[in-house]
Each structure stands twice: as C-alpha cells, then as structure tokens.
C-alpha cells in the first residue's frame, strides 16, 4: 500500500494530468472510445495487459495482483484518476484499488448497475460476464444495493471474448453461442440485460437479435464514461480546452493489439508501446 501511495506525488497542475485506464487486454478500448467521445480534451493513457489476458478465467488473488501492478504503472505516469475498464477486475479488486491508490478509482460495475436500475420496468434484470465476474456476485450486490426488490439472473459467457477478438460478432458461430448462452435468461422474462464484460458491446447486435426488442441492453462503457465526467466535474479536474491525446501501452507484442484494437476503439489504433517487465 505504501509503495503505491509514495509513487504518486501530485504534480502542480492536477487538471492537466491524464486519465489512466487499464484492462486485461484489448476490451477496455470500448471504454476508451466512450471516454474520448465524452471528454475530447482529456489525455488518456491506456495499459492493456496483453501478455496475461484473459483475466476472466483467473482467480480473484491473481487478478488482484495484476491489478495492483497495472495501477502502479499508470500512477508512475502521473494520472489524476484511474478507470478500471475491465469488469473482471472491477468485480474482484475495486475495493483494494480504492484503498491502495492516492487517486480516485472508477470501475465499470456500479455505473452499469445504476443504468440497469434506471431502465428496467418489470424489475427482472439479467447480467452476463466472464466467469470471474459472475462468480464474484459483484453485479448482483451492486444491483441489490440500489434496488433490493430486483430479480437478477446471471450467466457467464466465456466464449464471447475470443469471438469478439476474432471479429466473429455476427456470423453463425456467434449466433449459436448467443442462443445457447442466453436461453435461460430469455425464459426468465428479463427486460434489461447488462453487458458485464468489455468485449460484449461488439456482440450487441447478435445478442439483441436473440433476445428480441423487449430486452434493452446496458453497455457499461457509456455509463462509466458519464460517471468519470461527473466525478472530474465535481472535483474541478475536467479539462475544457485543448485537444486530448490517446497513448497505448501493452505488455506483449503490440501488433495484434493495434490490429484488433481498432474494432474495439472504433477508430485506428495508431501505435502502442510494449512495456518491459
Ligand atoms: N476485460 C475482461 C472483462 O471485462 C474480459 C477479457 C478477460 O477475460 O480478460 O471482464
């Protein structure tokens, strides 16, 4: 704990500092896309732990250790706020990061849960995510704390991650996986489904087709970006002018990140720097 805190001496102009974002790999770029859209004047420094992805199949202890290492790297960059753009990390290590870091920390679970509560009409909410996220029960806790009367149905959909990375988001394989994973949620009568994984927004069209128009999809990337802007505004740390920049760091060879990343970022990833660890 002391190590992380000592690393981050606040520079004189706090508002000018970058927003730090990390994810297990590529998926967090869906959050970066929304952050950059909503806050075009901000510098964003992103770390994708591509050497150790996926996190969603790993234990809470391992995910927590990786999360602290990623946060330490971004703190060294002098960030003013940390966005944990990974549902699996937000599910198991958000409390730890909040406790250890000297800057505000925002995860993707609370904003997604809040939006689902706002949108549901029949009180039946579904959540899909990685095995780590679903096993943690973090979404269920967040939803219940906001609206204890909700009925919540969850399902891990691990195959959606490689499908999204392969760009197989609207073919017969994606449709078959979606039908299989979502069958029980469909039967439960949910009217709202939280896409509780950074990769799932790419599969939103196929998920929407399987569940039909009565089920609304909540993408936590957009709601997280709104939460970040709100927090920066309240703390008078939001930049109002200047053109923001995007810098990408990865822990493995950058070529695949640059190639696949554009699918998640919605624009070309120009370059990425590999960290030596
Ligand atoms: N970023 C992860 C998440 O949102 C998905 C990929 C992984 O399992 O590492 O849970």
């Amino acid at each position: 704990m002391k190590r992380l805190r000592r690393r981050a001496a606040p520079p004189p102009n706090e508002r000018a500092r970058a927003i730090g974002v990390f994810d297990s790999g590529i998926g967090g770029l869906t959050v970066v896309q929304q952050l950059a859209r909503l806050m075009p004047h901000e510098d964003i420094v992103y770390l994708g732990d591509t050497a150790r992805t996926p996190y969603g199949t790993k234990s809470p202890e391992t995910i927590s250790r990786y999360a602290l290492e990623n946060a330490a790297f971004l703190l060294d960059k002098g960030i003013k706020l940390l966005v944990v753009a990974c549902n699996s990390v937000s599910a198991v290590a958000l409390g730890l990061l909040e406790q250890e870091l000297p800057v505000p920390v925002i995860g993707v679970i609370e904003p997604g849960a809040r939006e689902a509560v706002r949108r549901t009409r029949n009180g039946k909410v579904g959540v899909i995510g990685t095995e780590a996220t679903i096993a943690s029960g973090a979404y269920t806790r967040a939803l219940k704390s906001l609206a204890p009367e909700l009925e919540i149905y969850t399902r891990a959909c691990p195959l959606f991650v490689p499908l999204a990375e392969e760009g197989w988001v609207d073919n017969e394989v994606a449709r078959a996986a979606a039908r299989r994973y979502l069958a029980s949620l469909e039967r439960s009568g949910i009217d709202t489904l939280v896409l509780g994984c950074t990769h799932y927004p790419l599969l939103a069209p196929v998920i929407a087709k399987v569940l039909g128009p009565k089920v609304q999809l909540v993408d936590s990337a957009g709601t997280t970006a709104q939460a970040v802007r709100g927090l920066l505004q309240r703390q008078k740390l939001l930049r109002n002018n200047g053109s923001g920049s995007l810098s990408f760091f990865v822990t493995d060879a950058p070529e695949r990140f640059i190639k696949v990343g554009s699918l998640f970022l919605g624009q070309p990833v120009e370059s990425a720097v590999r960290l030596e660890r």
Side-chain angles (χ1 to χ4, degrees):
M1 165 170 163
K2 287 203 176 85
R3 212 180 83 234
L4 287 184
R5 288 189 177 272
R6 218 177 24 237
R7 278 171 182 233
N13 186 354
E14 225 179 326
R15 192 191 296 250
R17 291 196 268 161
I19 297 173
V21 184
F22 81 80
D23 173 49
S24 57
I26 290 171
L29 293 175
T30 55
V31 180
V32 172
Q33 182 181 13
Q34 298 301 324
L35 291 169
R37 192 180 59 80
L38 216 57
M39 290 163 282
H41 307 300
E42 297 292 337
D43 292 334
I44 297 174
V45 183
Y46 179 91
L47 172 62
D49 192 4
T50 48
R52 302 190 292 198
T53 200
Y55 283 10
T57 50
K58 297 193 167 71
S59 68
E61 298 72 40
T62 299
I63 296 172
S64 300
R65 180 158 54 83
Y66 292 173
L68 287 175
E69 289 171 13
N70 296 337
F73 169 80
L74 290 169
L75 282 181
D76 276 347
K77 298 274 168 212
I79 57 169
K80 60 183 169 187
L81 172 132
L82 176 70
V83 182
V84 180
C86 176
N87 286 263
S88 304
V89 176
S90 300
V92 305
L94 193 73
L96 176 70
L97 290 166
E98 282 171 344
Q99 184 189 317
E100 302 285 313
L101 266 62
V103 296
V105 180
I106 290 194
V108 285
I109 290 189
E110 156 85 22
R114 208 167 271 288
E115 182 65 11
V117 170
R118 206 177 62 76
R119 293 234 219 131
T120 183
R121 291 291 162 260
N122 72 2
K124 294 183 181 183
V125 174
V127 181
I128 54 175
T130 64
E131 287 165 298
T133 298
I134 297 304
S136 75
Y139 269 107
T140 303
R141 280 194 300 281
L143 287 161
K144 286 274 183 196
S145 78
L146 294 165
E149 71 286 0
L150 288 184
E151 279 178 42
I152 298 159
Y153 302 88
T154 62
R155 179 75 161 102
C157 306
L159 282 181
F160 281 174
V161 168
L163 283 173
E165 293 198 7
E166 194 61 33
W168 285 18
V169 293
D170 203 8
N171 63 12
E172 69 282 12
V173 182
R175 279 191 292 278
R179 274 198 296 271
R180 182 84 179 250
Y181 280 143
L182 303 173
S184 60
L185 293 175
E186 203 181 357
R187 279 196 301 273
S188 62
I190 56 165
D191 71 352
T192 304
L193 178 69
V194 181
L195 305 180
C197 173
T198 51
H199 287 56
Y200 297 179
L202 273 77
L203 288 137
V206 83
I207 294 170
K209 238 179 265 166
V210 168
L211 291 177
K214 287 199 195 116
V215 180
Q216 317 176 64
L217 304 184
V218 172
D219 165 6
S220 51
T223 51
T224 300
Q226 282 163 14
V228 170
R229 187 173 61 178
L231 193 141
L232 289 179
Q233 252 160 358
R234 284 194 300 282
Q235 302 209 348
K236 305 210 175 344
L237 289 175
L238 189 69
R239 280 164 73 165
N240 302 315
N241 48 47
S243 51
S245 66
L246 300 179
S247 322
F248 300 107
F249 293 87
V250 288
T251 52
D252 200 354
E255 289 76 18
R256 184 167 190 274
F257 180 84
I258 289 170
K259 185 165 149 252
V260 182
S262 58
L263 291 174
F264 291 76
L265 188 62
Q267 67 181 71
V269 176
E270 303 293 348
S271 64
V273 176
R274 181 182 184 158
L275 299 190
E276 297 306 333
R277 272 187 166 155

